[in-house]
Structure formats: structure tokens, C-alpha cells
Amino acid sequence: MKVYSERLPLKYLFSNYGVCLGIDTKRCSFLFLMSRAGLLLQRRPVGDKVVENLSYEIPEIVRALREEAGIRPA
């Protein structure tokens, strides 16, 4: 099950794998992700599409963000 919205400055994704919230501002975006792998809070560039590009799949998003940050897989 996945429920998501990309229409407002506050974006959300709820799935069986966790919760992902995004807040867009004029200067940057903030991404909050809660999953079995833990909690993640990141400041992202304006217009970042990491969630959309990974088909709204939380395990894939977690993996990509960990690789980007140089964190070993859990």
C-alpha cells in the first residue's frame, strides 16, 4: 500500500515500509524519512526529485540516500 501527495509544499508518502515527509521552501527542501532502517533528516536542493525518481519506494530511497551520504548499508 502507498499513499502520497506531491501537490503542496508539504509532501508525504505513507507505505508499508515507512513514512516520508518533505517540506519545500524557496531556498531548500527538507526530507524526513522514518523506516525500519531508522530515522533520516536531510536538507536537499530545491526541486530535488529523489523520491519521485525512485518510484516512491521507501527501501530504494533509503538505500540511495545512504549511498549518497557514504553510509554503509544496514
Side-chain angles (χ1 to χ4, degrees):
M1 173 190 85
K2 278 191 276 188
V3 177
Y4 61 91
S5 170
E6 286 281 335
R7 294 183 183 190
L8 303 170
L10 176 63
K11 296 165 179 8
Y12 59 85
L13 164 62
F14 299 104
S15 86
N16 294 339
Y17 297 102
V19 175
C20 183
L21 302 173
I23 300 172
D24 288 337
T25 69
K26 290 181 182 181
R27 295 183 183 175
C28 64
S29 295
F30 294 95
L31 180 69
F32 173 78
L33 188 101
M34 183 173 57
S35 70
R36 291 180 184 163
L39 297 174
L40 179 73
L41 177 61
Q42 263 190 4
R43 184 177 176 173
R44 307 288 298 174
V46 174
D48 184 61
K49 302 263 186 210
V50 68
V51 174
E52 184 180 339
N53 292 345
L54 295 169
S55 302
Y56 304 93
E57 294 293 336
I58 288 182
E60 297 300 320
I61 298 164
V62 170
R63 187 174 303 116
L65 295 176
R66 285 176 167 260
E67 286 175 5
E68 183 180 284
I71 301 170
R72 283 193 266 166

